[in-house]
């Protein structure tokens, strides 16, 4: 072993004492070498100290199996001036010369960007294998009042390979956990990015340790072997909670499939959860699709060390951190189908167990994985068979969401009488605005629904209003396939799906001489642009010229119903003003616990209904729909959906 730039560090002495006795130490300082010789002459006689310039070493080629560098490269490479870089090139060339083939240069470094770039670039060009390990902090250092380093420490391990003429093979690996397997990366740039992420994480941990209330903080913890995200953590501080010995810190495991609920999936919901839990800092943990989780105990064991890095200051030493959850288990998530659409991107169809032990099928776009695009309840007999199969599969010890484990999913497994989405319930309740609701089942109704998703909204109308005729417009043909195969949707004489852009379709209808007229027009269409402050509908759907086209195909007594999801208050005011200019009568219904607002638009302000009248009409419509022999969800009360409606 050759130690370059040894200084007066105790590292060589400690290595000697645990059995590595064939060690040569060099340093440019004659004073340091003399001091170290005197300190070790009697106790470590086989270890040598030599005054030598590491850029001009006097050893023969291939003299050592290991060259050890504890911070020397960092000390030399202080800038990127030409003189400095030339000196470092000579140093690294000498390291390569004195190492044997198969030998290793082990460099301890803070891995600042210019240092990592230089070391990795030099040795990868020479055909060496490059591996970077993050050096784990001791538990004492994790919990000390002021962490010693704001940057984590890394070990570069460069392995010398025999040169192969014409070979361009380059090997880059990162090992981010003490006991984890190295992850192979494709390029030096990817390796640098991975190191930078570890440094940012260490900085974040330091910030979280020193002060609470940093705002919204979230991060992904990835699988050490694959690099795939495994857990998503949200850090929620509650500064109003009075400190005590036992309420510093807790971890909340969100059962699989419930991360989309408002309490867990939205920042305001997580704040409410943290306040009710009564801890100064609560970390919520969401489990990712495509990952295998054995049990709550195994998750706790996996996360225990990592989450302690996010603990606040003031935690008593050796205090146990409580792990909390709902229902005591990790929940059930079964991925039934996964694919990628050119228009909607990657998506999954999955079955999850709800809070009431019912099973639900969901469509999730992975670009917005905490938002349920479509949802349907599964019939109980199918759910029971699926549950029995899951128990059988557990005995086989296979991952819970591999395709071969899944039960069949025929269309009739869907409970078509049940609307899962609160905004869909409100949109259906808006049909009470059509007047004479007691006659609607016998009245021919023409409806235009833009945005199919899983098809539950038009399907509910089709099944509950037997004289209705529905045109559904969907831009993405993949969604029609999903709705048909996985959500029990089907077309009929009264239900037609048109694969088209809703903007183009309505523009085409409005341009006809004999244009159709709809009693009801519904917009439930999401935006594909995540940068907008309005995610539903796309802004072009509420432009005034387009709204005029919508107006032209709506009957005079009809109702235009719009699902609005807009976080930008200024933009929302603008949308409401634009709608009001075209549709003078505008009702708004906010969906509790969600960002959604349902807008009911009509043409004649003299048709305005006071809340008591509106509720009475909704009750009449519900009584009409609750006829014997018709499936109806007893928890669905139409008048409740309109209780909080306000007129703009």
């Amino acid at each position: 072993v050759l130690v370059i730039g040894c200084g007066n560090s105790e590292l060589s002495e400690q290595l000697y004492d645990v059995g590595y006795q064939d060690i040569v130490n060099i340093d440019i300082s004659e004073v340091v070498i003399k001091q170290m010789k005197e300190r070790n002459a009697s106790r470590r006689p086989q270890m040598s100290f030599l005054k030598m310039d590491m850029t001009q070493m006097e050893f023969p080629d291939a003299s050592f199996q290991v060259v050890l560098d504890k911070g020397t490269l960092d000390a030399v490479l202080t800038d990127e001036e030409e003189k400095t870089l030339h000196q470092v090139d000579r140093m690294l060339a000498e390291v390569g010369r004195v190492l044997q083939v198969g030998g290793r240069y082990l460099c301890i470094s803070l891995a600042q960007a210019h240092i990592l770039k230089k070391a990795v670039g030099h040795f990868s060009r020479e055909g060496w294998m490059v591996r970077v390990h993050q050096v784990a902090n001791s538990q004492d250092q994790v919990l000390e009042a002021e962490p010693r380093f704001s940057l984590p420490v890394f070990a570069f391990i460069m392995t010398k390979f025999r040169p192969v003429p014409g070979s361009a093979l380059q090997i880059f690996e990162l090992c981010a956990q003490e006991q984890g397997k190295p992850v192979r990366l494709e390029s030096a740039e990817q390796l640098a990015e991975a190191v930078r992420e570890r440094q940012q994480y260490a900085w974040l941990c330091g910030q979280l340790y020193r002060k609470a209330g940093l705002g919204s903080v979230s991060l992904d913890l990835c699988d050490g072997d694959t690099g795939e995200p495994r857990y998503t953590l949200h850090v929620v501080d509650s500064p109003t909670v009075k400190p005590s010995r036992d309420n510093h810190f807790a971890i909340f495991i969100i059962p699989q499939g419930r991360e989309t609920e408002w309490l867990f999936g939205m920042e305001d919901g997580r704040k409410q959860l943290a306040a009710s839990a009564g801890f100064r800092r609560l970390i919520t943990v969401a489990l990712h699709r495509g990952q295998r989780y054995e049990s709550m105990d195994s998750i706790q064991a996996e996360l225990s060390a990592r989450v302690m890095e996010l603990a606040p200051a003031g935690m008593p030493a050796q205090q146990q951190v409580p792990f909390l959850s709902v229902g005591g288990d990790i929940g059930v998530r079964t991925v039934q189908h996964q694919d990628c659409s050119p228009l909607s991107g990657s998506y999954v169809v999955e079955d999850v167990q709800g809070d009431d032990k019912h099973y639900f099928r969901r469509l999730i776009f992975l670009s917005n994985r905490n938002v349920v695009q479509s949802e349907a309840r599964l019939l109980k007999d199918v759910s029971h068979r699926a549950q029995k199969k899951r128990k059988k599969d557990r005995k086989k010890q296979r991952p819970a969401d591999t395709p071969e484990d899944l039960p069949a999913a025929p269309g009739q497994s869907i409970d078509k009488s049940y609307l899962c989405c609160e905004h869909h319930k409100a949109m259906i309740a808006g049909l009470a605005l059509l007047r004479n609701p007691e006659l609607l089942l016998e009245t021919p109704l023409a409806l235009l629904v833009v945005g199919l998703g899983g098809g539950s909204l038009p399907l509910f109308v089709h099944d509950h209003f037997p004289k209705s005729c529905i045109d559904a417009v969907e831009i993405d043909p993949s969604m029609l396939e999903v709705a048909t195969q996985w959500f029990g949707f089907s077309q009929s004489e009264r239900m037609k799906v048109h694969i088209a852009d809703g903007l183009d379709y309505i523009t085409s209808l409005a341009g006809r001489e004999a244009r159709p007229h709809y009693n009801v027009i519904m917009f439930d269409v999401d935006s594909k642009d995540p940068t907008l402050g309005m995610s539903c509908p796309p802004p072009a759907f509420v432009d005034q010229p387009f709204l005029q086209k919508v107006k032209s195909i709506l009957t005079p007594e009809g109702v235009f119903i719009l699902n609005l999801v807009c976080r930008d208050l200024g933009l929302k005011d603008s949308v409401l003003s634009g709608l009001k200019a075209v549709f003078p009568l505008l009702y708004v219904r906010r969906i509790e616990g969600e960002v959604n607002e349902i807008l009911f638009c009509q043409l004649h302000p003299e048709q305005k209904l006071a809340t008591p009248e509106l509720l009475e009409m909704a009750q009449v419509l519900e009584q009409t729909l609750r006829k014997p022999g018709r499936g109806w969800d007893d928890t669905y009360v139409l008048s409740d959906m309109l209780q909080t409606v306000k007129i703009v």
Side-chain angles (χ1 to χ4, degrees):
V1 177
L2 170 65
V3 180
I4 57 175
C6 64
N8 56 9
S9 166
E10 297 178 0
L11 177 60
S12 298
E13 297 164 336
Q14 292 168 348
L15 287 171
Y16 189 99
D17 292 345
V18 296
Y20 297 94
Q21 298 187 348
D22 189 3
I23 299 176
V24 177
N25 301 272
I26 66 170
D27 197 283
I28 196 69
S29 169
E30 190 169 344
V31 173
V32 165
I33 293 299
K34 180 180 179 183
Q35 180 189 29
M36 294 301 284
K37 281 182 176 180
E38 292 172 354
R39 197 163 89 186
N40 291 281
S42 58
R43 295 179 59 191
R44 301 176 181 89
Q46 291 177 259
M47 186 160 64
S48 60
F49 292 88
L50 304 172
K51 177 183 178 300
M52 192 178 296
D53 183 350
M54 62 188 173
T55 66
Q56 292 178 299
M57 290 189 274
E58 300 163 16
F59 305 112
D61 295 355
S63 299
F64 297 96
Q65 293 171 309
V66 176
V67 173
L68 183 57
D69 169 353
K70 183 192 172 191
T72 301
L73 180 61
D74 285 17
V76 174
L77 190 48
T78 55
D79 56 56
E80 294 186 271
E81 297 292 331
E82 184 177 349
K83 181 180 177 181
T84 305
L85 294 175
H86 180 63
Q87 183 182 19
V88 170
D89 285 336
R90 290 166 55 200
M91 166 190 161
L92 298 180
E94 280 291 274
V95 167
R97 183 183 67 79
V98 301
L99 268 175
Q100 301 171 4
V101 172
R104 289 175 174 174
Y105 171 50
L106 200 163
C107 174
I108 308 300
S109 171
L110 292 178
Q112 292 169 277
H114 68 288
I115 293 172
L116 182 67
K117 178 182 176 182
K118 184 64 177 175
V120 170
H122 176 91
F123 289 109
S124 62
R125 284 193 299 273
E126 295 293 321
W128 294 32
M129 187 180 85
V130 175
R131 180 184 292 172
V132 177
H133 281 256
Q134 184 174 353
V135 179
N137 288 334
S138 69
Q139 192 62 23
D140 290 342
Q141 187 174 327
V142 170
L143 295 176
E144 67 186 10
E146 285 295 330
R148 202 169 303 157
F149 297 115
S150 58
L151 290 174
V153 178
F154 293 88
F156 305 159
I157 301 175
M158 314 295 192
T159 303
K160 183 177 181 178
F161 284 1
R162 192 181 303 279
V164 178
S167 173
L169 178 65
Q170 293 183 319
I171 301 174
F172 304 98
E173 293 182 344
L174 175 72
C175 192
Q177 300 175 16
E178 195 169 2
Q179 303 299 327
K181 295 178 182 177
V183 175
R184 183 70 59 89
L185 300 167
E186 294 183 1
S187 66
E189 290 74 22
Q190 281 192 9
L191 179 60
E193 177 61 27
V195 169
R196 185 158 53 249
E197 287 177 357
R198 303 304 304 177
Q199 291 168 332
Q200 290 170 344
Y201 174 70
W203 177 87
L204 175 63
C205 291
Q207 293 294 106
L208 288 170
Y209 182 83
R210 291 178 179 90
K211 53 189 174 184
L214 289 178
S216 179
V217 175
S218 65
L219 59 150
D220 286 339
L221 295 184
C222 298
D223 185 289
D225 296 334
T226 65
E228 292 294 318
R230 183 162 169 78
Y231 300 101
T232 293
L233 277 56
H234 285 89
V235 181
V236 188
D237 287 328
S238 299
T240 57
V241 172
K242 187 177 179 180
S244 70
R245 176 176 174 80
D246 299 323
N247 76 342
H248 286 274
F249 188 42
I251 315 300
F252 191 99
I253 308 295
I254 302 168
Q256 295 181 94
R258 299 193 61 183
E259 66 281 345
T260 58
E261 295 178 21
W262 177 80
L263 193 63
F264 310 127
M266 301 296 289
E267 184 177 355
D268 288 344
R270 289 189 291 268
K271 286 180 179 178
Q272 180 176 309
L273 175 67
S276 62
F279 288 87
R280 288 174 53 216
R281 174 169 293 166
L282 184 73
I283 293 183
T284 64
V285 180
L287 315 182
H288 274 250
R289 297 172 186 85
Q291 296 287 323
R292 177 174 177 165
Y293 306 97
E294 296 291 343
S295 66
M296 188 67 75
D297 288 343
S298 68
I299 290 173
Q300 291 184 25
E302 185 178 351
L303 289 176
S304 289
R306 184 61 71 205
V307 295
M308 284 306 299
E309 298 171 344
L310 305 174
M315 280 231 352
Q318 308 305 318
Q319 179 172 323
Q320 289 289 101
V321 176
F323 279 76
L324 315 174
S325 190
V326 180
D329 61 34
I330 62 174
V332 176
R333 187 208 315 272
T334 306
V335 175
Q336 293 282 7
H337 178 66
Q338 187 161 354
D339 208 340
C340 185
S341 156
L343 288 174
S344 302
S346 296
Y347 64 88
V348 296
V349 176
E350 61 186 23
D351 293 349
V352 301
Q353 187 180 41
D355 196 20
D356 57 359
K357 301 303 179 185
H358 276 102
Y359 286 83
F360 296 86
R361 179 158 297 163
R362 291 173 173 172
L363 170 65
I364 308 281
F365 292 162
L366 296 184
S367 60
N368 199 0
R369 60 181 66 240
N370 278 348
V371 174
V372 177
Q373 293 295 326
S374 295
E375 185 173 26
R377 188 167 72 179
L378 299 179
L379 292 169
K380 284 189 175 180
D381 60 335
V382 174
S383 303
H384 179 66
R385 290 200 301 272
Q387 191 175 26
K388 286 172 66 178
K389 181 162 178 60
R390 266 189 297 274
K391 289 180 179 177
K392 184 178 178 182
D393 289 340
R394 283 197 195 106
K395 295 177 182 177
K396 299 178 184 179
Q397 290 295 303
R398 289 211 302 256
D401 52 5
T402 50
E404 60 267 31
D405 285 347
L406 306 178
Q412 55 265 37
S413 64
I414 301 296
D415 183 352
K416 300 177 186 177
S417 70
Y418 185 84
L419 282 173
C420 294
C421 301
E422 289 297 304
H423 69 277
H424 281 174
K425 293 179 180 180
M427 293 173 84
I428 294 295
L431 299 182
L433 290 165
L434 290 173
R435 306 296 175 98
N436 301 319
E438 70 278 5
L439 303 177
L440 285 183
L441 268 63
E442 302 304 321
T443 303
L445 289 177
L447 292 93
L448 174 63
V449 179
V450 180
L452 179 67
S456 58
L457 179 62
L459 197 60
F460 187 93
V461 174
H462 176 275
D463 290 353
H464 287 82
F465 296 85
K467 299 288 186 180
S468 62
C469 290
I470 304 151
D471 287 319
V473 182
E474 173 57 53
I475 193 171
D476 188 347
S478 300
M479 292 304 103
L480 176 57
E481 295 175 15
V482 166
T484 303
Q485 183 174 356
W486 299 102
F487 288 87
F489 180 81
S490 59
Q491 299 188 64
S492 71
E493 286 299 314
R494 296 192 295 112
M495 171 87 79
K496 300 295 183 184
V497 176
H498 308 270
I499 301 300
D501 185 325
L503 297 168
D504 296 338
Y505 188 82
I506 288 176
T507 299
S508 173
L509 293 181
R512 294 180 186 175
E513 281 190 29
R515 66 173 71 105
H517 287 88
Y518 294 98
N519 304 98
V520 181
I521 298 174
M522 295 180 171
F523 283 3
D524 186 25
V525 54
D526 70 309
S527 170
K528 305 299 182 188
D529 186 348
T531 64
L532 301 174
M534 184 167 65
S535 57
C536 181
F541 279 80
V542 288
D543 282 346
Q544 280 208 32
F546 182 71
L547 291 175
Q548 291 289 349
K549 296 173 184 175
V550 174
K551 173 183 174 180
S552 73
I553 58 172
L554 186 69
T555 60
E557 307 294 323
V559 57
F560 169 39
I561 304 174
L562 172 69
N563 178 23
L564 178 68
V565 181
C566 186
R567 291 175 173 81
D568 184 326
L569 297 180
L571 179 57
K572 183 167 73 174
D573 289 343
S574 172
V575 169
L576 294 177
S577 296
L579 282 163
K580 183 90 171 166
V582 179
F583 299 94
L585 180 54
L586 178 59
Y587 304 87
V588 176
R589 203 287 193 184
R590 177 77 187 270
I591 304 297
E592 187 177 352
E594 299 182 21
V595 189
N596 302 64
E597 291 177 287
I598 306 305
L599 311 181
F600 306 100
C601 312
Q602 291 189 289
L603 294 171
H604 302 295
E606 63 272 13
Q607 294 177 339
K608 179 172 68 175
L609 295 173
T611 300
E613 295 176 274
L614 191 57
L615 298 182
E616 183 181 347
M617 292 182 70
Q619 288 165 357
V620 172
L621 177 57
E622 184 178 330
Q623 289 167 7
T624 305
L625 291 169
R626 281 180 178 266
K627 297 296 184 186
R630 292 184 179 277
W632 185 263
D633 168 27
D634 288 334
T635 66
Y636 182 20
V637 180
L638 285 180
S639 56
D640 287 354
M641 292 293 107
L642 302 179
Q643 190 83 41
T644 58
V645 161
K646 295 180 180 178
I647 295 179
V648 177

